[in-house]
Amino acid sequence: MPVPLYQAKADFFRTLGHPARIRVLELLQEGPLPVRDLLAQIDIEASSLSQQLAILRRAGVVSAEREGSTVVYSLATPELADLLDAVRRILTEMLVDQGELLAELRAEAHG
């Protein structure tokens, strides 16, 4: 029995649901990076990064290529960068709306 689309979507978002994984994807938006560069820009232990990269790789979100002794990661598809941009726009709108509500509450409290 095939997995319903909504379940597949939930599984996909669960895969993305870790701050280190999101940070990896943000960094890879600029292009492929070796593990050492990812590690230098993400404040976690090497073993934790390796674990998070393995999760992303198994889910097909990132791809890895060996270049000599170095493993270089990249986004599996450019649409992932589009998704991150969409999330940024959504969060920006939500924060703008919250800021407007906060201003109204403050005006009401002082009025």
Side-chain angles (χ1 to χ4, degrees):
M1 180 175 190
V3 175
L5 182 56
Y6 62 85
Q7 181 65 50
K9 288 177 182 179
D11 292 344
F12 175 76
F13 281 111
R14 225 181 335 274
T15 297
L16 301 182
H18 189 284
R21 291 182 223 146
I22 294 295
R23 187 64 184 131
V24 164
L25 297 179
E26 289 174 342
L27 293 169
L28 294 178
Q29 278 183 287
E30 303 302 318
L33 289 172
V35 174
R36 69 178 173 275
D37 290 0
L38 291 170
L39 191 56
Q41 297 186 59
I42 301 174
D43 189 29
I44 60 173
E45 296 292 323
S47 60
S48 294
L49 178 60
S50 178
Q51 195 173 45
Q52 301 308 324
L53 288 168
I55 291 167
L56 291 171
R57 199 172 54 246
R58 276 194 305 272
V61 176
V62 299
S63 57
E65 288 187 29
R66 185 166 291 282
E67 294 179 3
S69 63
T70 302
V71 179
V72 177
Y73 282 86
S74 59
L75 295 179
T77 175
E79 284 80 8
L80 288 162
D82 297 340
L83 175 63
L84 292 171
D85 289 340
V87 169
R88 188 175 297 112
R89 287 190 306 272
I90 291 166
L91 289 173
T92 299
E93 279 301 311
M94 291 170 65
L95 291 172
V96 166
D97 291 345
Q98 289 175 4
E100 290 171 0
L101 177 60
L102 180 59
E104 287 178 33
L105 289 170
R106 285 183 174 152
E108 187 177 280
H110 292 86

